[in-house]
Amino acid sequence: MAEKTYPMTEIEKEQLEKELEELKLVRRPEVVERIKIARSYGDLSENSEYDAAKDEQAFVEGQISTLETKIRFAEIINSDAVAKDEVAIGKTVVVQEVGTNDKDTYHIVGSAGADIFSGKISNESPIAQALIGKKKGDKALIVSPATTYEVEIVSVEKTK
């Protein structure tokens, strides 16, 4: 069975590698130290500090495992390989909902780099799926669980 690949830009991969390094070199040792301290309090059956530290350790180890998988199966996307005005991973696109003056700006990233609060949307999101492959001036139908609407692509440029 083929493993899932994680499309991302080189910059996204570097960010994941930095995050992984932080988890391994800083967070993991901190948690281990908290476990040692909590063990010194004695009876582990009623030691909430120990339980909390063990829970945090499980969480950190899960994050490390997830990041290692994403990095191992990263598929680096070169946005320079597509037309300058074509929507793809690594591009910033401005869209305007048809019939309104509302404009939205999205940075198309791989799922590993998605952060809706920063305007970074996953290539797997309904919005990105509708936009990828389209060019400036094209219209796209966005189908989301809540609604369906049409947008026109106002501009496309490489994300800086």
Side-chain angles (χ1 to χ4, degrees):
M1 179 174 106
E3 288 287 336
K4 176 182 178 183
T5 60
Y6 296 89
M8 64 183 71
T9 62
E10 187 64 42
I11 292 169
E12 289 175 78
K13 184 178 179 193
E14 289 169 8
Q15 290 170 337
L16 290 180
E17 289 168 340
K18 285 179 188 172
E19 188 178 340
L20 179 62
E21 185 176 339
E22 168 80 12
L23 287 170
K24 284 183 166 182
L25 301 179
V26 178
R27 293 273 315 273
R28 182 187 268 167
E30 287 174 353
V31 172
V32 169
E33 186 61 29
R34 285 185 50 214
I35 290 172
K36 283 182 192 174
I37 291 168
R39 272 195 180 137
S40 71
Y41 297 151
D43 184 12
L44 297 182
S45 65
E46 294 183 19
N47 187 331
S48 62
E49 288 89 355
Y50 178 77
D51 291 340
K54 289 299 280 183
D55 289 345
E56 186 176 355
Q57 182 183 40
F59 178 75
V60 168
E61 293 302 326
Q63 284 184 306
I64 288 171
S65 176
T66 298
L67 289 175
E68 286 176 338
T69 299
K70 287 179 180 179
I71 292 167
R72 184 178 318 120
F73 296 105
E75 177 187 347
I76 304 303
I77 304 297
N78 180 2
S79 62
D80 292 333
V82 297
K84 285 187 177 196
D85 64 344
E86 183 178 339
V87 180
I89 291 176
K91 299 281 184 107
T92 298
V93 60
V94 177
V95 298
Q96 180 173 349
E97 188 173 347
V98 174
T100 73
N101 291 326
D102 296 340
K103 290 184 181 177
D104 291 307
T105 301
Y106 299 110
H107 308 288
I108 311 295
V109 298
S111 60
D115 180 5
I116 192 65
F117 298 111
S118 300
K120 297 177 180 178
I121 61 170
S122 166
N123 63 307
E124 298 173 358
S125 72
I127 295 171
Q129 287 289 300
L131 296 174
I132 290 176
K134 303 261 191 301
K135 295 184 176 191
K136 179 181 175 181
D138 288 351
K139 292 185 177 167
L141 188 64
I142 310 291
V143 179
S144 70
T147 185
T148 300
Y149 57 99
E150 188 175 37
V151 297
E152 181 175 342
I153 299 171
V154 177
S155 69
V156 179
E157 59 186 45
K158 183 175 179 179
T159 301
K160 295 175 174 88

